[in-house]
Amino acid sequence: MNLALERLHSALQTLQLGEADALVENYLERAAQQEVTYADFLCPLLEAEVEARRTRVLSTRMRMAGFPTVKTLGQFDFAFQPSIEERQIKELATLRFVTDHSNVILLGPPGVGKTHLATGLAVAAIEGGHSAYFVTAHDLVSDLGKAAREGKLEPRLRFYLKSKVLVIDEVGYLPLDSLGATIFFQLISARYERGSILLTSNKSYADWGQIFGETTIATAILDRLLHHSTTINIRGESYRLKERKKAGLLAPPLPPTEATKKS
Ligand SMILES: Nc1ncnc2c1ncn2[C@@H]1O[C@H](COP(=O)(O)OP(=O)(O)O)[C@@H](O)[C@H]1O
Ligand SMILES: [Mg+2]
């Protein structure tokens, strides 16, 4: 290898331009063969570096987000769930809600796509350059409860303030004790007007008193959560049930479930 090339590799490595370092000899050769201008040589080389970094940041953020399963908005079949306005989801996918620090609440019975849509919006946020973190309400409250018992609530709360989008999945499946409710309220207050929350629940707002043990705290939580927010009420059939029906594991017609009776 000639000296200039050695120095070039060394400089690219020092600058941590790994992708450019890997590509530069190929690009030099091509530039010599095709007699491209200096700018036409340099620009794609640096663009390849930018793209590699973007991909690296994206995959780190996806890993850090802790999604149980990665789901995208593109995988969502809107025709199956007509109670959801595709236009509304498209509007949310512009990510204005993230920059506005406003919240999205997805309500509905099991299997209708709440977690899928919340994950899909969080994935869209990551692709749009934001950070996201996924946690179930149960894990969130037990984690913060443990931190509180150890006298470390403040720093742990700060962890849940870090990402631009916080998905809190399955609020209401399990009722919270009074410490749990207080901690949940503290988190919602701390993120209020500072970072978006994507929340899913199988309980309508009227039933939130049951989740938090009393209506006062439920009202205080809803007050902050809903001030800047979009609520998406999903009615309709469980997608899981449809898939089982299709597989012939369930013989239609089905008796109405609690969930379908309500909607
Ligand atoms: N309209 C839909 N199009 C494609 N997949 C769907 C749709 N609704 C639900 N699913 C899938 O069905 C399963 C259950 O959806 P999920 O979002 O977990 O429901 P929920 O959180 O409302 O209980 C998931 O695998 C999800 O990807
Ligand atoms: Mg779910």
Side-chain angles (χ1 to χ4, degrees):
M1 201 188 298
N2 71 39
L3 190 62
L5 206 51
E6 259 177 53
R7 284 171 52 202
L8 179 57
H9 278 301
S10 159
L12 289 172
Q13 283 159 20
T14 307
L15 290 168
Q16 299 188 322
L17 302 173
E19 186 72 7
D21 184 44
L23 294 174
V24 69
E25 288 191 40
N26 248 331
Y27 277 46
L28 277 171
E29 211 171 296
R30 213 172 350 147
Q33 279 166 9
Q34 298 171 0
E35 296 181 20
V36 299
T37 64
Y38 295 117
D40 283 337
F41 157 73
L42 197 54
C43 185
L45 185 69
L46 294 184
E47 278 173 351
E49 180 68 43
V50 170
E51 187 50 33
R53 280 188 187 198
R54 205 183 82 87
T55 311
R56 212 160 46 229
V57 169
L58 276 188
S59 71
T60 306
R61 286 204 173 144
M62 285 294 288
R63 219 176 35 247
M64 305 275 281
F67 298 120
T69 321
V70 174
K71 301 274 175 173
T72 65
L73 296 177
Q75 293 165 337
F76 197 80
D77 177 5
F78 286 92
F80 179 75
Q81 217 59 265
S83 67
I84 303 172
E85 252 192 82
E86 187 172 356
R87 204 167 36 113
Q88 196 177 24
I89 305 295
K90 288 240 167 81
E91 158 61 29
L92 292 170
T94 65
L95 305 177
R96 209 171 48 213
F97 79 97
V98 182
T99 41
D100 288 352
H101 304 160
S102 84
N103 305 321
V104 180
I105 297 107
L106 297 140
L107 303 177
V112 292
K114 301 181 297 296
T115 303
H116 186 138
L117 286 173
T119 305
L121 284 169
V123 168
I126 290 176
E127 284 169 351
H130 304 287
S131 53
Y133 191 74
F134 182 106
V135 66
T136 63
H138 177 262
D139 287 353
L140 173 75
V141 168
S142 57
D143 183 41
L144 287 174
K146 180 169 166 280
R149 282 192 299 280
E150 293 168 353
K152 294 175 186 156
L153 182 59
E154 279 304 314
R156 200 56 194 154
L157 268 175
R158 274 202 297 280
F159 170 79
Y160 291 103
L161 301 183
K162 274 198 311 198
S163 48
K164 289 276 186 141
V165 173
L166 179 68
V167 181
I168 308 177
D169 197 29
E170 300 188 344
V171 173
Y173 277 95
L174 297 169
L176 299 176
D177 61 14
S178 98
L179 176 67
T182 310
I183 283 175
F184 194 85
F185 169 71
Q186 272 178 276
L187 175 70
I188 301 295
S189 294
R191 282 193 73 93
Y192 175 61
E193 295 189 334
R194 275 190 244 161
S196 298
I197 294 174
L198 284 171
L199 185 148
T200 81
S201 179
N202 61 330
K203 293 237 172 11
S204 64
Y205 294 134
D207 296 333
W208 276 36
Q210 292 166 21
I211 308 173
F212 298 102
E214 47 148 331
T215 49
T216 327
I217 197 147
T219 309
I221 289 168
L222 282 173
D223 187 46
R224 282 158 186 78
L225 200 61
L226 301 187
H227 184 194
H228 312 285
S229 68
T230 305
T231 298
I232 295 166
N233 261 303
I234 315 176
R235 285 170 294 272
E237 210 184 334
S238 160
Y239 197 84
R240 295 189 192 103
L241 223 54
K242 171 198 115 152
E243 293 203 316
R244 263 178 285 159
K245 259 197 254 174
K246 210 166 60 186
L249 299 175
L250 286 173
L254 283 165
T257 62
E258 275 313 308
T260 51
K261 251 193 271 175
K262 247 196 275 171
S263 55

